[in-house]
Structures are given as structure tokens and as C-alpha cells.
Amino acid sequence: MAKAKTAKVVGVPDLVKEFGLQGRTIRQVLRKAGLKAPETGVEGFGPRARYEWAEGSNELKQVRSILKEFVSS
């Protein structure tokens, strides 16, 4: 059985390395910009939403744009 390709997921730890900001700061900036963490769809214990995006997605482009603007200001 062939395995389906899975898109690389970019999360807050990846953005920490990319922009040199703390994870807490990244989440605050994104919330102030009106973005929420996407729902995981998992019930029960654990996070119900995570700040994760598929590499190449429009949402990730928007997130990077917001963070670039924040870093340059």
C-alpha cells in the first residue's frame, strides 16, 4: 500500500527559529491581528487548537507577512 504524501506542517517552534521571537510573542501578535489557532478536531484531553499551518498555504503566507511587519517595526 502506498503512503500518501503529507504536507510539512509549520508550527510556532518553527516560526521561533525563523523570526527569533518567543512563542508567546508570536501567538500574541497573531491574536492581535485577528488570527486564531486552527481547530485540531481532537476530542478529550489536550489542546483543541494549535498554531500550525501547512507549508505553502495562504494562511501561512499571511502569518509570515504579519510577523515580518511586526519584526521590522
Side-chain angles (χ1 to χ4, degrees):
M1 184 185 294
K3 289 187 178 181
K5 278 190 175 181
T6 57
K8 181 177 184 257
V9 175
V10 176
V12 172
D14 301 311
L15 296 173
V16 166
K17 292 175 188 172
E18 186 175 338
F19 291 98
L21 298 169
Q22 292 182 350
R24 179 180 179 181
T25 303
I26 290 172
R27 289 186 294 274
Q28 287 175 341
V29 168
L30 295 178
R31 282 193 298 267
K32 281 185 179 181
L35 297 178
K36 293 184 177 182
E39 293 292 324
T40 61
V42 176
E43 295 288 328
F45 182 77
R48 288 177 175 68
R50 292 184 181 195
Y51 286 90
E52 295 180 335
W53 303 270
E55 184 66 60
S57 69
N58 289 334
E59 295 85 11
L60 182 58
K61 290 176 186 174
Q62 182 182 11
V63 166
R64 285 184 168 142
S65 172
I66 291 167
L67 293 174
K68 283 178 189 175
E69 186 177 323
F70 176 77
V71 169
S72 66
S73 63

